[in-house]
Each structure stands twice: as structure tokens, then as C-alpha cells.
Amino acid sequence: MQVAQLILSGVAQGCIYGLVALGFVLIYKATETVSFAQGEFMMLGAFCGLALIVGLGFPFWLALLGSTAAVALLGIALERIVIRPVLGQPVFAIFMLTLGLGYVLRGLITMVPYWGIETHALPVPYKGQVWNLAGLHMSAEQGVVIAVTAGLCALLYVMFRYSRIGIAMQAASQNQLAAYYMGIPVKSLNGLVWGLAAAVAAVAGMLLAPMTFIHANMGYIGLKAFPAAIVGGFTSLPGAIVGGVTIGVVESLSGFYLPVGFKDIAAYIVVLIMLMIRPNGLFGEKLRKKV
Amino acid sequence: MRFIFKTSYDQDIVLAKHGGHVFWYSVLGLFLLAAPWIFGEYWLAQLTFVLIYSIVGLGLMLLAGYTGLPSIGHGAFLGVGAYTQAVLSNAGWPFPLSMAAAALITALVGAIVGLPALRVRGLYLAVATLAFGFIVQEAFARWESVTGGNAGISVMAPHIMGWKLASPVAFYFLCLVLTVASTLLIVNLLRTPTGRAFVAIRDSEISAQSMGINLAHFKTLAFSISAALTGLAGALYAHKLQFISPEQFDIVMSIDLLLMAIIGGLGSVHGAFLGAIFLISMPQMIALAKDYLPQALAQANGLQAVIYGLVVIAFIMFEPLGIYGRWVKVRTYLQTVPLYRKGTFTRQKTFQKSDRLK
Amino acid sequence: MRTHLFNNCLSSMRWSLIALLAVGASMAQAQVQGITDTEIVIGAVLDLSGPLAIAGGPQRDGMIFATEEINNAGGIHGRKIRLILEDSGYDTKKGILITQKLLSQDKVFALVNTFGSAIVQATQPVAIEHGIPFLFPSAASNITYLPFHPLKFGLFATSNDHMRVVVDYAYGKLGKRRFGILYQDDETGQSALRAAEDQLKAHGLTLVERTSYKRGDTNFSAQVSRLKAANADIVVVGHSIREGASVAIETKAHGWPVDMMVPWGTVNAVITLGGPAVEGLYGATQFAVQPQTTAFKAFNERFKARFGHGGIQDYGTYGYTAMMLFAEGAKNAGRNLTPQSLSQGLEKIKNFKTTIEGPLITYGPGNHASPADAYIMQVRAGRWVQIAGPIAYENMAK
């Protein structure tokens, strides 16, 4: 009973990790770069939504769409301006570049006078509701997170499987040179992938906001999403969600049953164990090269 | 233009290749020796920090720059060295012994952290080091009997047989001696077969293995040496700050160290020093520049973060070889003018190389 | 001829001697760092961009407001105050570096209101060693005034004191017997934990559950689960603002309407963030948040006009009082202002109060401790309302 409750809250938290990790995996699959800026996109999405709701009076669902679109556009623009010129460089350098990008985005938000450094609550229509399912308590925020994550996964699956753009993205990520030969506009697709990843992060941000409030340091959750992506396998989209949920559940259980301090490093211990036994993660592919 | 005529076998062995090297490094040496009398207390303190961070930079450069093993958890090594020194020094150990112990213990921790390196590469290794960084930091906070937990430890000045290096000048010279020693260590290490093995591992592990280089041995060695240097710097850091707590060695510190290595120039010894100078002087320059900016911009809290990020982005986009890389280009220009060819340093446009199979 | 020269020599020597003495006399005052004929330089290390910027911002406003008030009234014995505010971002390393800069480069006369226990712990010894007064740091620990030193003065209520007050109030007035605590996993939180345990021991009780969180943590469901499983009837959150609101929401999400107390941070942000979930939340504060005197209302109007933003709040009152206290001590010291004369001037302060209602502040030779009063507040109808106090810490069983 207690365990079930803990697992439930772990799943909800894990879905957030999973969504951010999804962004990581999307970008990695397409361009083999690791983007450290996903956490900041999440934070921007939350702030954007806040601005739309509080500043322009949008209803919540419209603000969600609006902020997702806005952050997606930002992602595409950033990819064009900052990432595309550096694509030939070693992974490490691009990793640091996205780190710098994260710094800039975080700094820009805190530069907004008064508003940027404060903590805000996001007014959501389902705030404060608690549902009772067979004895388990689930807050509406948690329920919405799980539902939206599942929906988003289904949407992405359909897109990658059946739409032309999705198949083109898969092609570009598997063999870039061949994709060029086939006439696929690889560069524009890369931009789209970044936009998609940023959009997913923005959705995660707005879902997370009612649970953790909106503030400039929200993006640090992105650090936990790295282990989530690795656990799931960095080349697998469903793996990202599974990895995230795994980490969330482990955290929740260790917070209850283990002594102080284990909750915070649970994610990292899990990833180390995973790297030891299955370096490619739960769903990752093992690549072999014939010499 | 300079042509080096080799007239004796010694010329292959000496570190300073020609008169220019000798001259300029001597000037630098004299300047550093005279620094306490040229600078006031505040700038001497900053210079001491530059030296401490340079030692860390050397360690990180060896690992990430020369062996190609990324490490996002280097702050943890700094912390291990700092805590070891704090505990031993407060227990009364003379500082040469405690610093040696700090370096050794950190080297051991480094070897342990390097274990995943034997199995995974690239991004996965980076995340493994990240995980270790968090775990070690948590260990600092939990192991209260030794580290005092979250309350932190106050550190006294380094002492030996009752003689204390309490004055900033004395401490500065200690740091200077250790920095010079570390630099000589690294520069010479890179000229040995071990150093060449490291570089081989960076360039292509499969080729290195086929040349008979024992990957496990050299990777562990790289981690250990790098950690040892960082631990030594950590010991100095503890004395400089006089107070250490677990939160000082978090991910932010690790990222700062990485930024230092990248901006300085990954893959060069000079890069460590240039990066350290950049890291220390950046906040100062921003503070100075604040006076010239419009009020609204200057008061803003996030200004430093924005400028930091922009500088990193600018360097990686336009000068991936870092400050040292830019200096090499400038120096080549100056050395070969008017015969300088415009395309000397043009970067080849590359398609993405898949990192998944190297 | 020779005597003429010699006389000339002597007279010029005499004049140079007089000149030297004059220079020496002015240097005796000028040699005090941070004091010139026209200004006093004060340094403050606040958190303006980090996790506790929610407190740092109001503190800065309060300090600036007080400085402007003092300077507009003519300054202190003809000297205006120049306040240098720096941002530590709650990062210990940055705080240490900034303090070093303030001491050796900006050459401040005194450090007022350094924010954050870790930074205070690290920089206080350095400042004292340099002979710089370290006044009224925002640290909820008694290192602000212990071990005793003439240049150390405390103002911020220590975690011990506030925690004891809330625990005792919950025991005595609310009849609670099963205490659970959620504390921040750092020195501040841990000393709050110890204070709670001590106070409960005085009543023959122990904590039924203790859980912790890392600063910046946002997910408390595991901790709340533990507290609920232990059947606590009151939850004390050993740190507050964001966390207080989050935990309140979390307990409601678990379907567990338990009473909660926060020993600090009775600011409006808690209500804005927590919404209906924080209704009924208890808190303790040093300075009454909603005093109703006409003088305060006028003060608040001027503050609103200067900074916008709804008027002065909990942490703003602290910043304001700190600067006014400094000014009072400097006034008592007279024109010849040195660290020692400031210390003596501060010790002369008895029953000091500003326009803001708060504890009467008294120092004395050997007593530089923080004032020992707290008000109990509760969130009622979306506002913090004072329901008890001032309660003096001395009455607590120690």
C-alpha cells in the first residue's frame, strides 16, 4: 500500500525526467550531439507559459500550446545560429557549447527585473485537486503528467513510424551520408529535431511547474535526466521514458526506506550500475563494426 | 622566421627549444618571483588562485585534453584533496606529508572513478564521472565524523614543525613552487612513452590497442595522475579559502573547471594557465565593465552568467582551439610575416564523424 | 653665514615637523579603512540571484531605503554612507572572494548583513582578523555573536530561538505531542533540528520522525510519506519560503491535512506560491509583518513609491533595521569613528526601535546577542496575521 503510493509518485516524477530525457535522445539520435540546454528549455517553457497566462490572460491549454510553439521556434533558431556551424567538431566541444547556451538562457531570465529572480506559481485549472483511486492518493498534477507523457509518446511514435518527416528523421540519424544521397534535407531536419526536443522540454516544464514552482534554477532537473537517458539507452526513444520512470521510482523508494542522502544520489548509483552491467542501457542498440 | 639548427644531441632533450623560449620564460619567472612586491594584497590573492587553478587545469588537461577521457566530475577530486588536507593538517601533520597524502588518496579515488572508463567511452564515460562527482559530494556531507558534514571545516595555515606559512606571500611562494613542479612533471610526462600512449588513446583506441598499448593500464594511470594533481591543488585550495564545505565541490565547480580547460585550449599545457587566468579574471573584468554599461543592464543579476555563456559559445564557434590556439595563430603570423599564407589555419569543413564507432 | 644657514635649516625643519604632525593627525583618522571626511563605506554580501534571492532582493531594498533616509537627513556627523552591495548567489566560494574584494580593494569600513550561514562562517574570521566590524549577518546561528568579540554583533534570530518558540507554542497552545520535522540538509537545517530536539526533550518528548531535503529540492513526496506513516500531528519545516509552500501542497496531495509550522520566512511569497494549501500555516518572525501604526503606514507608502512591489516585507524590515542600527551606533561613536568606537557606540544602544514594529534591541558590554523576541503568525484568509507574541526566548527552557 505504502509501496504503491510511493511508486505512483515516483512514476509521476519519473515522467518529467523521461520527457527531458526524450529531448536528449531525440537530439542525440539525429545529430549525435548532447544538448545540455534541455533543462533550460524546460525552464523557458514554464516562464513562457506563465507570461502567457498571467500577462496575456490565455487559458491554460492555449498557453501550453503557445509556449510549446514559442520554445520550439527558439530551438530551431538556436540550432540554425549556434549549432549548425559547429557540427564537425568533437562531441565534447559541442557539449560545452550547449552548456554555454544553458548559461546564457538562465542568465537572460534572471536579468528580467524583479520577475526573473523570483519564484512563481503557475495557475492551472486542476490545481489542488486530489483524486482517490482505490485507496491511493494521486494529485491532479501527477495524473496530468502521466497522461500527457503517455499521449506525447504515442504521438511521437505515430509520427516517427508513419509520417514522411519522421521516417526522414530516422534515416538521417542512422546514416547521414546516405540520407544526403537520398535528397533528404538533413540540415533542415536537424533544426526540426531541435525544435521538437525544445517543444517536448517546454511541455515538461509546464507540467512540472505546478509541482515545483517556476524559478530560474528549474533547469537543474535536467541533470537527473542524463542518467535517465543512459538507463534507457541513449539511442532509444521509448527507453528514455522507461529510464526516467525507473529513476523516479528508485528515488521515491529510496527516499522512504533508505537513510538520509540516498534519495539524491539514487539516480547516479542506478546509472553507474547500469553502465557496469549493460553499458548500452535497457533498450540501446549494440553497434558492431566489421573490420 | 626562426629556423632551429640542431648542432648537438642535447637540443633534442632540452625543454626550451631556442633562445626565444629561454628569454621569455625567464622574464615570466622573474615576474612571478617579484609579484609579491609588485602587486597589492588583493591581486596577489588572485594570482595565487590562478596558480591553484592552473594545477587543476594541468590535471584536467592531461585527462581530457591528452587522453581524450572526458570528466565532468573533477570538482570531486578537488574536494577529496581539500578535505584530506583539512583533516590531516588540523590533526597536526606537517604540510609536505599531508599534501603528499592528499595527492595519493585522490589518486586512489581517481583510479576507482576511472574503472568505468575501461568499459565505456565518450558520452557514457562523461555521465559516469558526473555520477561519481555527485556521489563523492554526498559522501562528504554524510561522513560527518571525518568531514564535519555540512557544517564544513575551518582550515589553519600550512605548518611544519611549528613554523606556519601564515602570510599571503609565503603561501604564494608555496603555490608557485608546486605549480612549477607540476608543470615540469606534465611537460616531461608527455614526452615519455607514457605520454605518447595517452595521446594515442585519444586519437584512436582501436589503433592504440593494435599497437600494443594496454588500454586499461594507461587509462587508469591517466585518471590517477590527473586526480593526484587535482588533489594537490585541492589541498592548496583548502588553505587558501580557509573554510571548506561539501557544497563548494559541486557540479558548478566541475563545469567551471571544464570551461577553464576548453577556453584555455584543450590539448595544450599553456591552455591550463590561460584558462585559469580567464576563469579568475572574468568576474573582475565584468565587474569593471559594469561601470560602463547602462544602469538597468549593470544591475542585472544574470549578467555574469550571460557573458560567461556567450564567451564559451564564441570560443567554440570561432576558436575551438581556445586562447592558446588563437595565440599560436597570432604567433605564427608574426613569425612568418610578410610570407604568411592566408590559408594556414583554415579549418576543413568536416561532415559529422560518427562517434559511436571509433 | 653658517648660523644664518643653520637658522634657516632649523626653521624649515620646524615647519616640516609641524607639517608632518598635521599630516599625521589627519592620517590618524584617514588611516581607518573606509572612512574619509565625507563618507563611510559599507559592504554587504547578499544573495541576489541564487536560491534565496527571494530574501536577498527585499533585504537589498530595505538597506538602500535606510541608507537613502540616513543620507537625506545629513548623514552621520557629516559623513554620507556609501553602500556597496554584492551578490554571492549563495555560493560559499563566491562569497569568500567577494568579501576579500570588499576588504582589500573597496576597503570598506564595516561589513553589514552578510547573508547565509556558510558564507558567514567562512568570512567572519577573515574580516575580524582584518579589524573590520562584522555586523548583523543574516545567519540563523549564534556564531553571529559567539564566541564574543568586540567587532561581532548579532541581529538575526538564531534557528535555535525561533525553533524553540514554535515548538513550545505548538506544545503549549496547540496541544501537539507528535512532532515530525523536515529539515534542510545543511548546517542551518541541522542546527534547527538540534534545537527542536532539545526543546522537545525539555518537555519529555522526542521527534516521531525526521526527514531531510537538499537545498533546491522540489520533490517532497517521499519525505511527506514518511511523516504521514509516522502519524505526526504537526510538521515543522526547518526552513521555509518555497519549501514551506511545496510541503503544504504535498501534504494536501497526500490527503493529509496536518498542521504545519515554519520558523522563518513569513513572507507573502509563501501565500502566493502555496495558494489555498497554506491556509492555516503557522510561522514565527522577528519583525511583525503587518503592524498597523500610522507611522508605519506612511513609511510603507514611501517604500512602495520607491520600490513598487507591495511595500516592505519580512526580510526588507531586517535590512532596514540593520542599517539603522549601524547609523545609531556610529552616531553614538561621534565624529572620531573607528571600529573600536563603533563597537562602543553600538553597545550604548538600549531599547532601540525603528518605525517598523519589532523587538526592542539592546546591546551592552559583553552582550552582542541577537534580540530575543518572536511573533507567532498564521495564514488566515490569505494573509499572514499575528496571533501571539512577542514571546521572549529567555522564557524557553534551554
Side-chain angles (χ1 to χ4, degrees):
Chain A
M1 194 47 213
Q2 185 67 265
V3 178
Q5 180 76 52
L6 289 169
I7 291 182
L8 187 62
S9 37
V11 167
Q13 180 76 12
C15 281
I16 298 285
Y17 294 149
L19 284 177
V20 180
L22 199 65
F24 283 144
V25 174
L26 273 170
I27 293 180
Y28 186 75
K29 278 192 78 136
T31 59
E32 246 185 80
T33 56
V34 182
S35 164
F36 219 80
Q38 281 298 100
E40 268 63 42
F41 281 133
M42 187 175 80
M43 183 255 304
L44 278 178
F47 266 105
C48 199
L50 182 74
L52 288 175
I53 295 181
V54 169
L56 294 180
F58 279 28
F60 175 70
W61 301 104
L62 197 60
L64 181 64
L65 283 170
S67 79
T68 311
V71 177
L73 280 170
L74 180 68
I76 296 178
L78 281 173
E79 194 274 339
R80 183 71 188 79
I81 303 173
V82 174
I83 304 290
R84 204 175 289 185
V86 299
L87 268 185
Q89 291 190 32
V91 178
F92 203 41
I94 306 184
F95 172 77
M96 297 306 293
L97 181 80
T98 54
L99 204 74
L101 200 61
Y103 262 80
V104 172
L105 291 173
R106 200 166 42 239
L108 281 175
I109 282 284
T110 51
M111 277 174 84
V112 177
Y114 283 125
W115 212 57
I117 53 174
E118 280 184 359
T119 307
H120 305 272
L122 188 71
V124 294
Y126 47 87
K127 190 175 175 115
Q129 290 173 28
V130 181
W131 301 329
N132 222 309
L133 319 156
L136 287 178
H137 293 279
M138 181 161 76
S139 71
E141 288 98 355
Q142 289 174 322
V144 170
V145 167
I146 299 179
V148 172
T149 308
L152 206 59
C153 280
L155 205 69
L156 285 172
Y157 175 73
V158 163
M159 186 192 90
F160 275 114
R161 184 83 190 276
Y162 297 112
S163 79
R164 275 179 70 95
I165 286 194
I167 298 180
M169 281 187 190
Q170 283 195 61
S173 77
Q174 282 172 10
N175 190 335
Q176 213 179 51
L177 204 53
Y180 269 110
Y181 288 150
M182 298 303 286
I184 295 177
V186 172
K187 291 198 175 154
S188 332
L189 273 184
N190 283 345
L192 268 174
V193 167
W194 266 76
L196 190 62
V200 170
V203 171
M206 286 205 63
L207 291 177
L208 186 64
M211 300 202 286
T212 67
F213 306 127
I214 305 179
H215 54 95
N217 286 324
M218 257 177 108
Y220 277 115
I221 290 205
L223 283 176
K224 292 258 178 72
F226 262 117
I230 299 244
V231 166
F234 227 84
T235 49
S236 154
L237 286 171
I241 302 287
V242 171
V245 170
T246 315
I247 300 271
V249 169
V250 169
E251 254 190 14
S252 187
L253 289 171
S254 47
F256 190 88
Y257 290 111
L258 292 179
V260 168
F262 273 97
K263 176 172 182 246
D264 310 290
I265 55 175
Y268 302 107
I269 295 185
V270 171
V271 81
L272 280 176
I273 296 176
M274 186 57 85
L275 283 173
M276 286 296 174
I277 6 178
R278 256 186 90 104
N280 286 314
L282 290 170
F283 295 98
E285 48 200 31
K286 215 172 162 71
L287 292 164
R288 255 183 262 277
K289 189 169 170 176
K290 265 192 161 138
V291 193
Chain B
M1 284 181 68
R2 193 187 293 275
F3 295 98
I4 302 175
F5 293 111
K6 299 250 176 94
T7 49
S8 85
Y9 287 119
D10 278 341
Q11 275 184 291
D12 278 334
I13 304 177
V14 292
L15 278 174
K17 292 292 175 205
H18 52 76
H21 270 173
V22 176
F23 174 66
W24 285 112
Y25 282 112
S26 313
V27 167
L28 180 67
L30 283 172
F31 171 74
L32 286 174
L33 282 173
W37 293 278
I38 306 178
F39 291 122
E41 185 189 337
Y42 178 66
W43 291 108
L44 190 67
Q46 303 306 320
L47 192 57
T48 316
F49 267 117
V50 168
L51 291 175
I52 295 178
Y53 276 112
S54 305
I55 303 182
V56 185
L58 285 171
L60 193 53
M61 202 61 79
L62 180 70
L63 193 60
Y66 284 106
T67 320
L69 300 169
S71 165
I72 319 183
H74 241 66
F77 295 142
L78 198 68
V80 172
Y83 267 105
T84 315
Q85 176 72 4
V87 168
L88 293 178
S89 187
N90 285 351
W93 286 38
F95 74 83
L97 245 80
S98 57
M99 285 192 184
L104 232 83
I105 294 185
T106 320
L108 254 117
V109 176
I112 298 177
V113 173
L115 285 175
L118 308 178
R119 287 209 68 183
V120 296
R121 273 203 331 266
L123 166 70
Y124 298 97
L125 179 60
V127 176
T129 54
L130 177 73
F132 265 114
F134 274 107
I135 294 178
V136 171
Q137 190 197 349
E138 187 66 31
F140 289 151
R142 291 291 135 241
W143 200 5
E144 289 184 11
S145 53
V146 169
T147 66
N150 281 307
I153 312 186
S154 283
V155 187
M156 307 186 302
H159 57 91
I160 174 171
M161 321 274 203
W163 174 54
K164 272 192 174 203
L165 268 80
S167 79
V169 176
F171 188 69
Y172 165 78
F173 278 117
L174 175 66
C175 293
L176 186 62
V177 166
L178 287 172
T179 310
V180 170
S182 313
T183 317
L184 287 174
L185 175 75
I186 292 290
V187 169
N188 282 312
L189 183 67
L190 290 168
R191 300 194 303 161
T192 62
T194 312
R196 290 198 288 273
F198 289 156
V199 177
I201 295 177
R202 175 188 74 194
D203 287 339
S204 169
E205 283 192 19
I206 301 180
S207 311
Q209 242 180 335
S210 41
M211 296 302 281
I213 294 177
N214 183 350
L215 285 184
H217 173 238
F218 283 104
K219 280 186 181 179
T220 314
L221 195 62
F223 262 103
S224 303
I225 300 180
S226 169
L229 276 175
T230 312
L232 184 67
L236 292 172
Y237 179 86
H239 283 302
K240 183 84 191 96
L241 242 49
Q242 293 176 304
F243 175 80
I244 51 174
S245 54
E247 70 215 358
Q248 290 177 21
F249 306 108
D250 59 359
I251 179 90
V252 179
M253 165 70 90
S254 302
I255 292 181
D256 273 348
L257 297 176
L258 269 182
L259 285 177
M260 173 176 80
I262 298 240
I263 292 183
L266 204 61
S268 63
V269 171
H270 298 81
F273 292 92
L274 293 169
I277 295 177
F278 171 80
L279 191 71
I280 299 292
S281 59
M282 195 54 164
Q284 318 284 344
M285 293 199 288
I286 295 179
L288 287 173
K290 268 194 191 171
D291 296 330
Y292 298 101
L293 288 173
Q295 177 73 334
L297 214 58
Q299 282 283 20
N301 302 309
L303 189 65
Q304 179 156 344
V306 171
I307 294 187
Y308 239 68
L310 285 174
V311 169
V312 173
I313 294 177
F315 261 102
I316 297 188
M317 280 178 79
F318 302 117
E319 188 49 81
L321 294 173
I323 302 180
Y324 183 63
R326 178 59 51 179
W327 163 241
V328 167
K329 293 181 185 174
V330 169
R331 187 185 64 193
T332 314
Y333 177 78
L334 290 172
Q335 280 178 339
T336 55
V337 107
L339 298 174
Y340 177 72
R341 281 171 305 161
K342 226 174 150 189
T344 311
F345 287 109
T346 316
R347 277 185 277 156
Q348 299 283 25
K349 191 86 178 148
T350 52
F351 281 105
Q352 252 179 282
K353 242 187 322 193
S354 177
D355 206 34
R356 296 181 221 183
L357 288 167
K358 222 181 173 181
Chain C
M1 186 78 150
R2 204 181 283 175
T3 25
H4 183 64
L5 265 174
F6 189 61
N7 279 341
N8 265 348
C9 233
L10 262 186
S11 70
S12 56
M13 265 174 64
R14 195 185 309 138
W15 280 118
S16 27
L17 199 60
I18 295 179
L20 255 174
L21 278 175
V23 169
S26 64
M27 268 177 74
Q29 180 61 74
Q31 244 163 22
V32 178
Q33 172 172 307
I35 305 268
T36 67
D37 274 344
T38 50
E39 69 174 14
I40 309 174
V41 187
I42 305 286
V45 182
L46 303 174
D47 175 16
L48 298 173
S49 65
L52 283 170
I54 213 170
Q59 278 192 338
R60 176 196 56 201
D61 292 343
M63 291 179 83
I64 293 180
F65 195 69
T67 311
E68 288 172 354
E69 221 179 79
I70 298 168
N71 287 346
N72 288 342
I76 306 174
H77 293 298
R79 294 193 179 99
K80 298 253 166 67
I81 298 185
R82 180 158 67 96
L83 182 61
I84 305 181
L85 294 158
E86 294 284 0
D87 174 25
S88 69
Y90 211 71
D91 177 15
T92 314
K93 187 175 88 225
K94 229 167 137 188
I96 295 174
L97 294 173
I98 289 176
T99 308
Q100 284 176 352
K101 166 175 118 53
L102 286 170
L103 289 177
S104 17
Q105 229 198 352
D106 295 311
K107 299 208 187 296
V108 295
F109 170 68
L111 287 167
V112 174
N113 192 16
T114 298
F115 188 95
S117 302
I119 301 179
V120 168
Q121 205 163 1
T123 56
Q124 195 184 48
V126 177
I128 302 291
E129 224 176 89
H130 274 77
I132 302 291
F134 199 83
L135 306 174
F136 320 131
S138 287
S141 137
N142 55 17
I143 58 168
T144 57
Y145 55 92
L146 289 179
F148 179 82
H149 189 282
L151 298 177
K152 281 159 78 161
F153 280 83
L155 177 63
F156 201 90
T158 67
S159 48
N160 280 345
D161 303 333
H162 265 189
M163 181 58 89
R164 290 174 193 282
V165 169
V166 305
V167 164
D168 223 67
Y169 184 83
Y171 177 88
K173 292 289 187 305
L174 301 177
K176 302 291 180 187
R177 294 291 177 268
R178 299 183 63 83
F179 286 76
I181 185 168
L182 175 63
Y183 65 96
Q184 182 162 297
D185 186 23
D186 66 4
E187 177 55 16
T188 319
Q190 278 165 348
S191 70
L193 171 71
R194 286 193 289 270
E197 288 174 328
D198 281 345
Q199 192 62 22
L200 283 175
K201 211 180 341 179
H203 291 296
L205 290 175
T206 54
L207 288 168
V208 302
E209 182 60 82
R210 69 176 67 86
T211 57
S212 74
Y213 66 91
K214 280 261 183 304
R215 191 194 311 146
D217 246 4
T218 45
N219 182 2
F220 301 100
S221 68
Q223 288 96 332
V224 171
S225 292
R226 267 175 77 153
L227 288 163
K228 186 175 173 198
N231 230 335
D233 60 15
I234 181 152
V235 171
V236 185
V237 180
H239 216 77
S240 50
I241 316 176
R242 213 149 72 191
E243 289 82 15
S246 286
V247 175
I249 296 179
E250 191 68 44
T251 54
K252 305 295 181 293
H254 277 250
W256 187 39
V258 69
D259 278 326
M260 276 180 56
M261 295 199 88
V262 290
W264 301 271
T266 52
V267 291
N268 293 333
V270 177
I271 303 177
T272 328
L273 292 176
V278 295
E279 190 68 21
L281 179 71
Y282 292 96
T285 179
Q286 241 185 321
F287 298 95
V289 169
Q290 305 280 348
Q292 298 303 316
T293 60
T294 29
F296 177 78
K297 287 209 175 92
F299 172 90
N300 215 7
E301 288 307 313
R302 274 184 295 127
F303 192 87
K304 260 194 259 200
R306 172 74 175 85
F307 291 107
H309 226 44
I312 198 165
Q313 289 181 64
D314 199 353
Y315 287 97
T317 59
Y318 184 84
Y320 180 83
T321 311
M323 286 309 289
M324 297 304 269
L325 263 177
F326 169 80
E328 186 73 11
K331 256 185 242 157
N332 290 349
R335 174 78 188 166
N336 183 16
L337 189 59
T338 68
Q340 290 71 33
S341 70
L342 175 71
S343 173
Q344 286 160 356
L346 284 168
E347 281 171 358
K348 292 200 191 107
I349 294 180
K350 302 270 175 277
N351 294 327
F352 178 83
K353 206 174 79 143
T354 66
T355 324
I356 305 171
E357 191 159 312
L360 295 174
I361 302 172
T362 299
Y363 295 119
N367 170 29
H368 293 184
S370 311
D373 277 349
Y375 297 85
I376 305 283
M377 319 281 286
Q378 191 181 24
V379 179
R380 290 187 183 169
R383 289 175 62 240
W384 281 108
V385 172
Q386 181 181 332
I387 58 174
I391 304 176
Y393 303 150
E394 283 121 18
N395 296 338
M396 304 290 105
K398 288 272 179 358

